[in-house]
Amino acid sequence: MPGTAPPDLAVTRALAAFGLVGVGVAVVLVGLLHVVSAGRVNPVRRTISEYALGDSDWMFDVGVLGLASGSVLVLLALVRAGIVQLWSRPAALVGVWAAALVLIVAFDKANWAVGPTPSGYVHRYASVVAFVSLPAAALALGRRWRGDLHWGPFAACSRWSGALALLWLGTIVLAVALSPLTGVPWWQLLPLGLVERGLVTTEVATVVVLGWWAARAASAPRPAAMIAG
């Protein structure tokens, strides 16, 4: 039928589209949490995970799981579109990002005003793994396609979003490093909530870039001279 995409391309586009829907669910629900919990959580000082300690914790859980599942669907679309190999470093890093997001939901954030908990430590370290793995994947994927005439612009967006995410993360690392010298707890040396929201926004934008890339590759396929491995 004229104008109908081949089944394999249609499936790839559907994977990319549903992946972006999952990202959209995360954006909407976490955005709403900023409204419904405005009087309880200070967005400048408190992290997003603080919302999971309130009555609207289900919105946080569903939003983060939506982002995790959306990321997996985007990865599958990238693989089917020939942008990345399934058994490759970029694919593995995206998988680690998604798995870490699931752990963030499975293990509750500790109320550090009360004291640390084993679950809180898992939650914290899973967050660190997630924040590092996705930008690393974006940088690796962007570097593989750097200079490609067809996908070069997407590769550039991928590299820049990954670099910006690591820059946000670097401010937290710097605060941790300076804390022993200043005698001030690292989470008080910077507006932690604001920095984390900048980091999360950048990482969500990175998934959107990858999803858009996969959708375009399925809509305008070309022989892949180089598949990211």
Side-chain angles (χ1 to χ4, degrees), residues 119-221:
S119 177
Y121 279 119
V122 174
H123 181 98
R124 170 177 284 183
Y125 293 126
S127 299
V128 173
V129 170
F131 290 152
V132 172
S133 57
L134 182 65
L139 287 170
L141 187 56
R143 186 165 55 248
R144 288 281 181 161
W145 289 97
R146 180 178 53 194
D148 183 86
L149 294 178
H150 200 75
W151 301 127
F154 283 100
C157 288
S158 181
R159 290 198 312 275
W160 279 106
S161 63
L164 181 57
L166 291 180
L167 184 62
W168 281 113
L169 189 60
T171 63
I172 299 177
V173 174
L174 180 61
V176 173
L178 291 177
S179 182
L181 302 177
T182 62
V184 179
W186 65 268
W187 58 88
Q188 295 179 3
L189 280 175
L190 76 170
L192 181 59
L194 191 61
V195 171
E196 191 208 42
R197 281 161 177 78
L199 172 58
V200 170
T201 299
T202 305
E203 302 222 353
V204 168
T206 300
V207 180
V208 171
V209 168
L210 297 181
W212 185 23
W213 191 350
R216 285 293 302 275
S219 299

